[in-house]
Amino acid sequence: TMPKEPAVLRQNILDTTAAVLACGIDPKKCFLFRQSLVPEHAELAWILGCLTNVPRLLRLPQWKMKCASQNNEGTVGLLTYPVLQAADILLYKSTHVPVGEDQVLHLELAQDIAQHFNKKYGEFFPVPKAILSEL
């Protein structure tokens, strides 16, 4: 949600890809892709954003903390990032999502958005369940 120098962003993409492969992800068994090259992520985020009310996003603790650290000048990107996360999950009709404790509320938002969409337009998205990691 913060502007990055293009060279730094390209290096971050390469570093993240290397880390995923170093963790043992087999590209012969999994699809690896750069999310920014899949326009459906942003398109679904727009659609879901039109179904999500602003007061709900303003209540998320991550928004409150980050906005406060930015002198209460948080960006629209920061506010709507949880909707993009929901789109990332729902686009692939995910049924289970591994999350840490700090992301549970964002997954709950994805669940609420899926339920709202399904109620309005018919059963389409599975309501994803959390897989909490044990540390």
Side-chain angles (χ1 to χ4, degrees):
T1 58
M2 300 298 296
K4 298 241 187 293
E5 291 295 322
V8 172
L9 183 57
R10 282 190 291 277
Q11 188 59 51
N12 288 348
I13 291 167
L14 294 174
D15 291 347
T16 300
T17 303
V20 166
L21 294 172
C23 288
I25 298 296
D26 184 351
K28 293 177 184 166
K29 295 180 180 178
C30 300
F31 290 104
L32 295 179
F33 59 91
R34 195 164 69 193
Q35 175 184 333
S36 60
L37 296 178
V38 181
E40 289 84 356
H41 284 268
E43 293 165 359
L44 183 58
W46 174 260
I47 292 166
L48 299 179
C50 291
L51 298 172
T52 305
N53 67 47
V54 172
R56 173 72 193 276
L57 297 176
L58 291 172
R59 287 193 302 268
L60 291 171
Q62 288 88 341
W63 162 258
K64 290 178 181 178
M65 290 180 346
K66 288 187 178 184
C67 190
S69 72
Q70 296 175 3
N71 298 321
N72 291 319
E73 293 185 9
T75 65
V76 171
L78 180 61
L79 179 65
T80 60
Y81 185 73
V83 178
L84 177 61
Q85 287 179 310
D88 295 343
I89 294 165
L90 299 177
L91 182 63
Y92 298 99
K93 297 192 172 185
S94 303
T95 58
H96 294 79
V97 181
V99 294
E101 287 289 335
D102 63 329
Q103 291 299 310
V104 169
L105 292 176
H106 286 181
L107 183 60
E108 288 175 0
L109 177 67
Q111 293 167 335
D112 292 347
I113 290 172
Q115 290 168 340
H116 180 70
F117 187 97
N118 292 343
K119 184 177 178 183
K120 189 169 184 80
Y121 300 108
E123 290 298 314
F124 188 77
F125 292 118
V127 177
K129 293 178 176 49
I131 300 173
L132 289 169
S133 57
E134 294 179 23
L135 298 176

